[in-house]
Every structure is written in structure tokens, then in C-alpha cells.
Amino acid sequence: CAVGAVTAFNFFFVPPRWTLEVDGDENLMALFAMLAVALVVSHLADALRRQTDHARLNEQRARQLQGLASGLAGAMDVQSVVDLGNDALRQAFVGPHILAMQAADGTLVLPPDLPALIKDGLACCMREAAILGPGTGRWPGLGAWYLPLGDADRMHGAVCIQKIQAGDDEGREHAKALCAILTQALGRIAVTASMHEARLQAQRQQWQSTFLAAVSHDLRTPLAALVGAASSLQSQGDKLSTDERQQMLASIVSEATYLSDLTD
């Protein structure tokens, strides 16, 4: 546009008019000055536009991180975290992505038709607890980023983002931030589940202690009556009347029957 405008100005207004010739050095210098100013203004406007787009993109990413953190604060299970994570990755990146969670046996839950290269990349980034792919210094020949959800101490899963650019450092940092927020949410859910299990275990122990205390009390009472009646018969059997011995024997039978029923 700058070159076309200067050429049109020369054609219509600079003598000799209606030609591209330039009469006089001052007119030639003026045309070059106008062209230089137009090119400088164009360059500055383009740089300002790029800065504006960059600032707008950073604002969108910051808002997305804030929204994801707010949504994950109310997530109570792993599936909710996975759903929110898939939505965030879908909004942040053009290419397809895969968010795979680690099962209890340490394997990844993956689609059956997933290529072997992606499976190996996900497994490797989890094993090394590091991001892989273009611009990371690890497996730069890959066409995707592989990000772990966790660290060396606790791993929850991995993410694969395809159709990315090696020079997109800010995009890669945004992906790392998203995965960090997802990792925090998954860790919180794991800790909450562990605390809940610990509370249940303590409650079970308390129930067992209460049950054993009640059973021991119910066992000691008839046992004491059995021991007392049997010892009386053994030590004073000759001195007791027939009715008294029958009464003690009946007590022994009754308490033994009660113990049998209690045991059943």
C-alpha cells in the first residue's frame, strides 16, 4: 500500500504529471521520504497489532486458568477433573488432544485404536516425569507435546497435544500451567480419598473395639455363674441338699445354653 500510494502520488501530482518520471531532485527526495515514512508507520502499526493480539491472547489464557481453577475447586471425583481438563485443552489448542488417566495397576486408560507412537510418548513422559516434544529438548522430532500429570512422587496420568509448533514457547507454558492445575486437583482428590478411607478405618476399629467389649461382657457374666456353680458342687457337694444340687446343675445347663446361643 505504501509503495502504491507513493507511485500514485508521483503519477498524478509530481511533474511531469501522468508519467512515472520525476522532475527535480527535490521531488525525488520527497517521494523517497514519503515512502520511508509510510513504511515506518506500517511497521510500527504491524508491531502494535502483534502486541495487542499477544496481550489479548495472554488475557484469554489467564482467564481460562482462573476459570479452570474455579471449576476444579468444586470437583469431587476424577471424572469431573477429566471433563473440565478436556474442555480447557479443547479451548486452548487447535489440534486434537488426549487426556489419559493412570489406572490402579499403573497402566494408562487409552482408546483401543490409539497409535503406538502416542502410547509410547505418554508412557515415556510419565516415566521421566517431564514434558516431551518440539522445543523441549526431549524427543524434538515428535509432532506433539507430551505432558505428565504429576511428579516423580505421585503420577496421575498424561496429556498429549497434537498439531503444535516448536517455537510456541508461550503455548507450551500455558499447556504446562493447565496440567499443573489439573495435577493439583487430582492430588487434592487423592488426599481427600485417603483421609476418608483413614476415617472409615478408624471408625471400623472403634466399632470392633465396642463390639469386642460388649461380647466380652456378655461372655464373662455366664462364665462367672458357671464357674461359681461348678466350684460349689465340687467343694461342697456333700453338704448341699438334693434340691440345691439340682438347682445348681440347672443353672449350669442354663448358662451353658445361653453361651451356646450367644456363640451361634
Side-chain angles (χ1 to χ4, degrees):
C1 289
V3 173
V6 171
T7 302
F9 183 80
N10 177 31
F11 185 80
F12 289 106
F13 297 102
V14 176
R17 299 173 64 184
W18 316 116
T19 66
L20 296 179
E21 297 180 2
V22 180
D23 186 9
D25 294 339
E26 65 278 6
N27 291 331
L28 183 62
M29 294 178 59
L31 290 175
F32 277 115
M34 293 173 62
L35 180 61
V37 170
L39 292 176
V40 169
V41 171
S42 175
H43 176 73
L44 293 177
D46 183 66
L48 180 61
R49 184 172 57 253
R50 288 197 303 269
Q51 293 177 0
T52 302
D53 294 340
H54 183 263
R56 186 178 294 109
L57 178 60
N58 287 337
E59 180 186 5
Q60 292 176 355
R61 287 174 172 173
R63 290 182 180 275
Q64 185 187 30
L65 292 176
Q66 181 181 6
L68 178 61
S70 300
L72 290 174
M76 301 304 296
D77 52 50
V78 175
Q79 188 58 45
S80 299
V81 175
V82 172
D83 293 339
L84 290 172
N86 282 324
D87 292 339
L89 292 171
R90 194 178 302 109
Q91 294 174 9
F93 300 98
V94 178
H97 70 275
I98 298 170
L99 197 161
M101 297 303 301
Q102 189 177 32
D105 57 356
T107 60
L108 283 173
V109 181
L110 298 171
D113 56 347
L114 196 65
L117 179 61
I118 296 180
K119 294 181 180 178
D120 294 341
L122 291 171
C124 183
C125 81
M126 290 179 58
R127 184 170 58 253
E128 298 182 6
I131 180 175
L132 309 177
T136 64
R138 296 182 178 89
W139 289 23
L142 296 175
W145 288 328
Y146 296 86
L147 303 99
L149 294 176
D151 51 26
D153 297 330
R154 180 65 184 270
M155 190 63 61
H156 304 281
V159 172
C160 172
I161 304 176
Q162 305 178 57
K163 294 184 180 180
I164 45 84
Q165 298 179 358
D168 189 9
D169 296 335
E170 294 185 356
R172 186 170 61 254
E173 292 299 323
H174 183 60
K176 291 172 62 177
L178 290 174
C179 292
I181 295 177
L182 293 174
T183 300
Q184 291 178 358
L186 292 170
R188 174 181 57 81
I189 292 176
V191 170
T192 302
S194 299
M195 294 175 60
H196 180 66
E197 181 62 27
R199 285 195 298 268
L200 290 179
Q201 184 65 27
Q203 191 175 24
R204 284 195 293 268
Q205 293 291 341
Q206 183 179 2
W207 289 343
Q208 289 176 1
S209 300
T210 303
F211 174 74
L212 291 175
V215 169
S216 64
H217 176 269
D218 289 341
L219 288 175
R220 279 197 298 265
T221 300
L223 282 175
L226 283 171
V227 172
S231 61
S232 298
L233 286 174
Q234 183 181 21
S235 60
Q236 301 180 5
D238 298 337
K239 300 178 181 180
L240 297 176
S241 63
T242 303
D243 293 338
E244 290 175 339
R245 288 196 299 269
Q246 291 296 328
Q247 185 178 1
M248 289 183 179
L249 290 173
S251 176
I252 292 174
V253 173
S254 176
E255 297 299 336
T257 303
Y258 172 75
L259 282 176
S260 178
D261 294 338
L262 179 62
T263 304
D264 292 340

